Amino acid sequence: MHSISQSMQSHILVVDDEPENRLLLRDILEEDGYSVREACNGLEAIRSIKDAIPTLVLLDVMMPGLDGLEVCRSLKADSETAHVPVILVTAQRQRDERIAGIEAGAQDFLSKPIDIMDLRLRVRNAVRTQTLYNDLEREYTRVTELEKMRDQLVHMIVHDLRSPLQVMGMNLEIVEMEAIGMLDGEDVQALRDVRQTVRSMSKMVDTMLDLSRLESKAMPINKHNTNLGALVSEAAPAIGDDTNPVYLDIPSTEEFDPMATCDGELIKRVIVNLVNNAIDFSPKNEPVVVSILQEAHGHRVTITDSGPGIPPEAQDAIFDKFGQASQDGRKAKASSGIGLAFCKLAIESHGGAIGVQSKVGEGSTFWFELPA
């Protein structure tokens, strides 16, 4: 049954150079509750659509001057009107004419002389499809706005956390220094654990703020000619702990010269993030290997671990903000889900690429490439 509310919300543009054809279509469509506008040629149709975008266009093909196919191509070439469905009205029944209409972007056809039932069914289906499209677009806009509000709120909260965390860290360091000799070993260790937690939170805050700056392209990228081998070696002291050994597989300069134009400090943070991530997911005492490989157009840095691996369906999602992966139904280790997102945006800001190769139960190799 035809929806009256849907009809009243929809307006249709009828384009035909024959007044009697326009009148026939108007009478039928207004009887069904649609709002109808008319245009007597192609140029008038384009002007009318620019004034107010219709729900549907019923477009005669054979018109003097700008014909229906040209009008259809014009609508589909404009991003503001490309989504508007077009039903071509034509006396031509040849296959070539239909193909030309589809190539121009038409969604459907009506043959002359007009069959009223056929007209009503095709218009109803086109309007219903367009209404669903409009609803989906509104919902997408709403969700996008909510995500933007969420990101702004998170950014504000994280920014406000930075100063108190710095104060806490400095005061804990002073207390720890004064406590040595006054407290027993367990109490001193407890202070150290708290200070380490505050330090980890401060790093998380910095990463969140930098992630936001990378997303908005407000992060300054200071590129210089940098030796990736030296960069990996410099990053090594900041990597992990004594739990898992980290092996650096860096070829000698005689084999190749691993030079890249990049922001050394930013790429160093990417290396530290990826290696610490590998250590977190590796069994105790299993090594993590960092390698540099020469590629056709640049260099590839790989970080290989012996962890549980990542299922194929999760390998893209882990690079999304707050994205995490579980292994074989097991709960993922505690993670903020921002480290890999930061790495992805940092590498892409250099015109590079990042990814992972992994099989469940066989470990993972995270990699990133930078242009030479």
Side-chain angles (χ1 to χ4, degrees):
M1 186 175 178
H2 193 78
S3 170
I4 297 298
S5 61
Q6 177 180 291
S7 298
M8 295 304 292
Q9 294 170 0
S10 307
H11 64 273
I12 299 172
L13 177 64
V14 174
V15 187
D16 199 306
D17 60 320
E18 297 291 340
E20 59 271 20
N21 291 339
R22 298 199 303 273
L23 180 60
L24 171 65
L25 292 172
R26 173 184 279 276
D27 288 345
I28 297 170
L29 295 171
E30 286 185 341
E31 184 180 333
D32 285 346
Y34 295 107
S35 170
V36 179
R37 301 194 335 252
E38 296 181 23
C40 62
N41 57 56
L43 289 176
E44 186 178 326
I46 291 175
R47 283 196 295 268
S48 177
I49 291 169
K50 287 182 178 179
D51 290 340
I53 296 176
T55 307
L56 169 67
V57 179
L58 285 176
L59 183 59
D60 185 31
V61 174
M62 303 301 291
M63 293 186 295
L66 203 64
D67 67 24
L69 294 180
E70 292 174 292
V71 173
C72 189
R73 291 190 194 99
S74 176
L75 296 183
K76 299 302 174 180
D78 188 334
S79 59
E80 292 189 359
T81 56
H83 64 279
V84 177
V86 175
I87 297 179
L88 291 178
V89 183
T90 176
Q92 302 291 333
R93 297 176 182 268
Q94 288 88 350
R95 177 174 175 273
D96 290 347
E97 294 291 336
R98 298 288 176 122
I99 290 175
I102 294 171
E103 288 178 342
Q107 276 72 31
D108 206 348
F109 297 87
L110 270 171
S111 297
K112 292 181 179 179
I114 298 293
D115 180 285
I116 295 177
M117 182 60 68
D118 190 29
L119 167 68
R120 284 179 163 149
L121 288 173
R122 292 179 189 274
V123 167
R124 184 193 66 187
N125 290 339
V127 168
R128 181 181 295 166
T129 301
Q130 184 62 14
T131 301
L132 291 173
Y133 173 89
N134 290 337
D135 291 345
L136 183 61
E137 190 175 54
R138 280 193 293 271
E139 184 64 18
Y140 174 79
T141 301
R142 188 183 73 84
V143 170
T144 302
E145 290 173 351
L146 288 174
E147 287 182 346
K148 185 178 179 181
M149 290 172 61
R150 180 202 65 186
D151 287 346
Q152 289 172 341
L153 179 62
V154 169
H155 181 83
M156 182 179 66
I157 293 171
V158 168
H159 187 273
D160 289 347
L161 282 173
R162 177 182 252 175
S163 294
L165 284 172
Q166 289 175 342
V167 172
M168 288 171 62
M170 289 187 293
N171 286 330
L172 282 168
E173 189 172 358
I174 293 170
V175 171
E176 184 186 330
M177 291 172 61
E178 293 179 350
I180 295 174
M182 298 174 61
L183 301 176
D184 60 31
E186 289 186 1
D187 291 335
V188 172
Q189 185 58 49
L191 278 172
R192 286 175 180 164
D193 290 344
V194 173
R195 187 160 63 88
Q196 181 59 41
T197 300
V198 170
R199 185 183 299 169
S200 297
M201 291 178 66
S202 294
K203 288 182 178 178
M204 191 185 303
V205 165
D206 289 340
T207 301
M208 279 290 295
L209 292 174
D210 286 342
L211 183 61
S212 178
R213 293 164 74 195
L214 284 167
E215 284 180 320
S216 61
K217 301 190 186 304
M219 182 90 161
I221 309 295
N222 302 311
K223 295 183 182 181
H224 303 282
N225 220 15
T226 305
N227 187 297
L228 291 179
L231 204 60
V232 171
S233 298
E234 289 172 15
I239 289 171
D241 49 34
D242 298 330
T243 306
N244 300 70
V246 178
Y247 297 145
L248 305 182
D249 181 15
I250 304 173
S252 64
T253 52
E254 287 80 12
E255 295 180 48
F256 76 96
D257 189 18
M259 300 297 293
T261 302
C262 65
D263 185 322
E265 289 303 313
L266 198 57
I267 300 303
K268 192 189 299 183
R269 287 175 61 186
V270 170
I271 295 167
V272 171
N273 262 314
L274 292 177
V275 175
N276 282 332
N277 182 73
I279 291 173
D280 287 343
F281 285 91
S282 290
K284 190 174 181 179
N285 297 322
E286 287 291 333
V288 170
V289 180
V290 184
S291 303
I292 301 178
L293 307 171
Q294 189 167 25
E295 300 290 320
H297 303 291
H299 306 294
R300 173 180 283 218
V301 178
T302 65
I303 297 91
T304 303
D305 64 51
S306 304
I310 304 166
E313 64 273 13
Q315 290 179 16
D316 289 333
I318 58 174
F319 290 99
D320 294 337
K321 189 161 60 174
F322 308 120
Q324 296 182 2
S326 59
Q327 294 83 24
D328 294 333
R330 293 175 292 170
K331 188 177 179 181
K333 292 190 178 183
S335 168
S336 64
I338 58 174
L340 292 178
F342 167 81
C343 294
K344 182 175 187 290
L345 289 177
I347 295 300
E348 289 179 348
S349 70
H350 286 76
I354 190 170
V356 63
Q357 296 170 328
S358 182
K359 288 185 178 179
V360 175
E362 298 183 18
S364 305
T365 295
F366 282 84
W367 57 266
F368 66 85
E369 293 178 350
L370 292 173

